[in-house]
Amino acid sequence: GPAMAWMAKAGFVAATRQVRRTVVMAASEKLDFKAPAHVGEVVEVTARVTSVGNRSVRVQTDMWAESPTTGARRQCTTSQLVFVAID
């Protein structure tokens, strides 16, 4: 739940910055859970635009977890999101 919400928000920011218009999420094409994030770990969500159409923006988001004591870092989740400009 929370991971999906964080990834949607990061994707929204990336899409909005790209097109400088109001966007809404139209689809979540792929969501792969690779590893869990454990209690006490630092979680980082990244988002990058992978393609832009006339009204749509495709964004890849990744969630990483890092142990603050060891520095070990692993990818937890990836997703492909599609946003559409509405104005």
Side-chain angles (χ1 to χ4, degrees):
M4 292 169 55
W6 298 333
M7 294 173 82
K9 289 175 186 177
F12 171 81
V13 170
T16 301
R17 284 179 174 164
Q18 177 69 38
V19 297
R20 298 293 177 189
R21 296 167 62 187
T22 303
V23 297
V24 296
M25 188 187 309
S28 173
E29 292 186 335
K30 182 174 98 171
L31 187 63
D32 293 327
F33 290 96
K34 299 178 180 204
H38 302 291
V39 173
E41 291 183 320
V42 177
V43 175
E44 176 185 11
V45 178
T46 61
R48 66 181 178 87
V49 173
T50 56
S51 67
V52 179
N54 290 334
R55 294 183 50 111
S56 64
V57 180
R58 188 176 308 268
V59 179
Q60 178 179 329
T61 61
D62 300 295
M63 188 177 94
W64 299 81
E66 181 178 325
S67 169
T69 55
T70 66
R73 184 173 154 92
R74 69 185 176 289
Q75 189 173 30
C76 296
T77 312
T78 63
S79 68
Q80 292 289 327
L81 308 175
V82 177
F83 293 85
V84 176
I86 59 170
D87 61 340

